Amino acid sequence: MEQEMSVKVEIFSGFLGAGKTQLIKKLIEEGYYKDRIAIIENEFGEVSIDGEILSRTNTLVKEINAGCICCQVTGDFKESIKDVVENCNVDRLIVEPTGVAKLSDLKNTFEEKDLKEIAQIEKIITVVDSEKFNIYLKNFKNFFVNQIKNANLIVLSRTQNIEENQLKKVEAEIRKINNNAQIVSTPWNKIKAKELIPIKLQYKNLKESNEKTEEKNEDKSFKTMRKLSFRSKAVVKKEKSLEEMFETFALKIEKKLSKEELISKFNFMKDNEEFGKIVRAKGIVNTKNGTEQFNYTLTEIEMEEVKYKGEAVISFIGTNLNKDKISKFFL
């Protein structure tokens, strides 16, 4: 039976550890959504931590693990969309892709006929960690810029941790990448959900202005390529794929770990190349205070107490990870 009306879709993009899940959780808990919603969450890795956190909001959460929505599990993603639309009686889908997904690829997936008939993008939101903006721009430019360029709303996280002049510089750099998007830079604890994400924000209007900008850029690119065609030794740089850049693994943790011990361990690994480059880690661990969820992103660890009955586990994401060495270090 064909779906008479398409469901509205909101995409929450953002690089690893930017705060996508925390933002979605804030919106739900503050009653931002008045219609029936479901969340499609894509976890790059062997285990989902965020799905457990989101499920505490009594919201339907459907998870796709072990890969990236826009890479090797596109089929699974489409089937998940169809399953939710056809069987779950929802008005709105919130899609949270992995932190290393290319937003342009995800947008293109929704333009394909089988999804276009049942789901319509309404908002595309990219969460940007203002504190680590320069680090990510320098080291992971392809993914980071793609997520900023293809959004119609940029929500800055951790703005309370940086100076006003630094915040203005971050906003100026974002404008260079995407001059059409709205930018929200108020600290999340000082703003209500409906002010953080404008309810009337529409993807369609911004899509049209983005297309005009892209047409101009394409004209410039064509002229550049025509010049290059006259050079005998023009080199085209091949962009690295997700699989070539990042890897992940999960580690079950049976013993109790304090926040101080976690900080100490990650600080040690950060300065020791033998472990590889850990870009992001998150998990649920047992501490003296109870069960706590933690998020690690290059320079800091955030922890909060959670109600969780599953196994304690840490999920690591990075490059050239030495899994044996990391496992022995924690166990």
Side-chain angles (χ1 to χ4, degrees):
M1 183 177 176
E2 190 174 333
Q3 185 78 11
E4 293 182 1
M5 292 184 66
S6 62
V7 299
K8 295 180 283 288
V9 176
E10 294 182 8
I11 300 174
F12 284 78
S13 179
F15 199 69
L16 297 165
K20 299 185 296 296
T21 302
Q22 286 81 357
L23 177 58
I24 294 170
K25 187 167 171 281
K26 175 181 173 68
L27 296 177
I28 294 171
E29 290 180 341
E30 292 186 17
Y32 177 85
Y33 298 106
K34 305 302 180 186
D35 40 14
R36 297 182 299 271
I37 65 172
I39 298 172
I40 302 247
E41 193 212 29
N42 175 216
E43 187 70 26
F44 179 67
E46 303 166 38
V47 63
S48 174
I49 305 299
D50 294 338
E52 173 65 28
I53 303 306
L54 288 170
S55 65
R56 288 161 47 210
T57 63
N58 294 319
T59 303
L60 172 64
V61 180
K62 191 172 183 66
E63 298 168 316
I64 308 171
N65 290 324
C68 170
I69 279 176
C70 55
C71 298
Q72 65 266 43
V73 294
T74 302
D76 291 341
F77 172 60
K78 286 185 178 180
E79 289 306 312
S80 295
I81 294 284
K82 292 174 184 176
D83 179 42
V84 172
V85 171
E86 292 170 6
N87 301 313
C88 299
N89 190 30
V90 297
D91 304 304
R92 184 179 301 272
L93 283 177
I94 295 173
V95 177
E96 183 188 355
T98 172
V100 287
K102 284 205 166 180
L103 191 47
S104 57
D105 291 344
L106 184 55
K107 285 168 63 177
N108 290 337
T109 301
F110 274 101
E111 289 297 319
E112 294 177 16
K113 185 179 178 181
D114 49 349
L115 282 191
K116 201 171 184 179
E117 291 175 349
I118 61 171
Q120 187 70 42
I121 295 176
E122 186 178 83
K123 298 181 179 76
I124 299 182
I125 299 146
T126 291
V127 183
V128 174
D129 186 335
S130 59
E131 197 175 15
K132 300 179 184 66
F133 179 85
N134 292 323
I135 296 174
Y136 290 153
L137 186 62
K138 180 181 177 181
N139 294 288
F140 308 103
K141 187 173 182 179
N142 290 336
F143 299 108
F144 196 53
V145 168
N146 187 275
Q147 291 171 355
I148 294 171
K149 182 180 178 182
N150 289 281
N152 64 325
L153 177 68
I154 309 291
V155 178
L156 299 179
S157 62
R158 302 183 178 92
T159 55
Q160 70 275 11
N161 298 336
I162 64 175
E163 298 293 333
E164 184 67 25
N165 63 334
Q166 187 181 348
L167 179 58
K168 287 181 179 179
K169 288 179 181 177
V170 169
E171 291 182 7
E173 288 299 316
I174 289 173
R175 291 281 178 218
K176 291 178 185 177
I177 300 168
N178 183 346
N179 194 39
N180 295 315
Q182 295 183 37
I183 300 176
V184 178
S185 59
T186 307
W188 297 3
N189 61 345
K190 294 183 179 180
I191 191 170
K192 293 181 180 178
K194 62 182 180 181
E195 298 169 309
L196 195 60
I197 311 291
I199 292 174
K200 293 184 179 180
L201 179 72
Q202 293 294 322
Y203 165 66
K204 186 178 179 182
N205 294 338
L206 203 103
K207 180 183 175 185
E208 291 171 356
S209 50
N210 273 343
E211 283 173 350
K212 290 178 183 177
T213 303
E214 284 172 8
E215 283 175 9
K216 291 180 182 177
N217 291 336
E218 283 173 6
D219 288 341
K220 291 179 182 177
S221 298
F222 177 75
K223 290 175 183 176
T224 303
M225 287 303 294
R226 193 164 63 177
K227 289 178 182 178
L228 282 174
S229 67
F230 290 103
R231 299 179 186 175
S232 58
K233 294 184 179 179
V235 177
V236 178
K237 185 178 179 182
K238 185 181 178 182
E239 191 175 272
K240 284 188 176 181
S241 68
L242 176 72
E243 293 83 356
E244 291 174 314
M245 285 197 68
F246 298 98
E247 56 185 309
T248 178
F249 84 104
L251 184 64
K252 293 179 182 177
I253 305 291
E254 296 182 0
K255 66 176 184 178
K256 290 184 177 181
L257 290 170
S258 66
K259 181 176 181 178
E260 292 72 26
E261 188 176 357
L262 279 172
I263 292 172
S264 175
K265 284 183 179 296
F266 279 108
N267 281 339
F268 182 80
M269 289 191 295
K270 181 178 66 176
D271 298 325
N272 192 324
E273 294 181 358
E274 292 182 14
F275 291 98
K277 180 67 174 177
I278 299 172
V279 178
R280 169 97 157 102
K282 56 185 175 180
I284 295 179
V285 296
N286 295 314
T287 69
K288 291 180 181 179
N289 299 324
T291 303
E292 296 190 52
Q293 183 207 11
F294 83 89
N295 286 289
Y296 166 79
T297 50
L298 289 177
T299 57
E300 64 178 348
I301 288 181
E302 297 174 347
M303 297 186 75
E304 68 169 319
E305 194 171 340
V306 294
K307 292 179 181 179
Y308 177 76
K309 295 180 180 179
E311 293 180 304
V313 63
I314 298 176
S315 181
F316 300 86
I317 301 173
T319 56
N320 301 314
L321 298 181
N322 188 329
K323 298 178 183 180
D324 289 337
K325 193 169 182 64
I326 293 172
S327 298
K328 289 176 183 177
F329 187 57
F330 272 87
L331 302 178

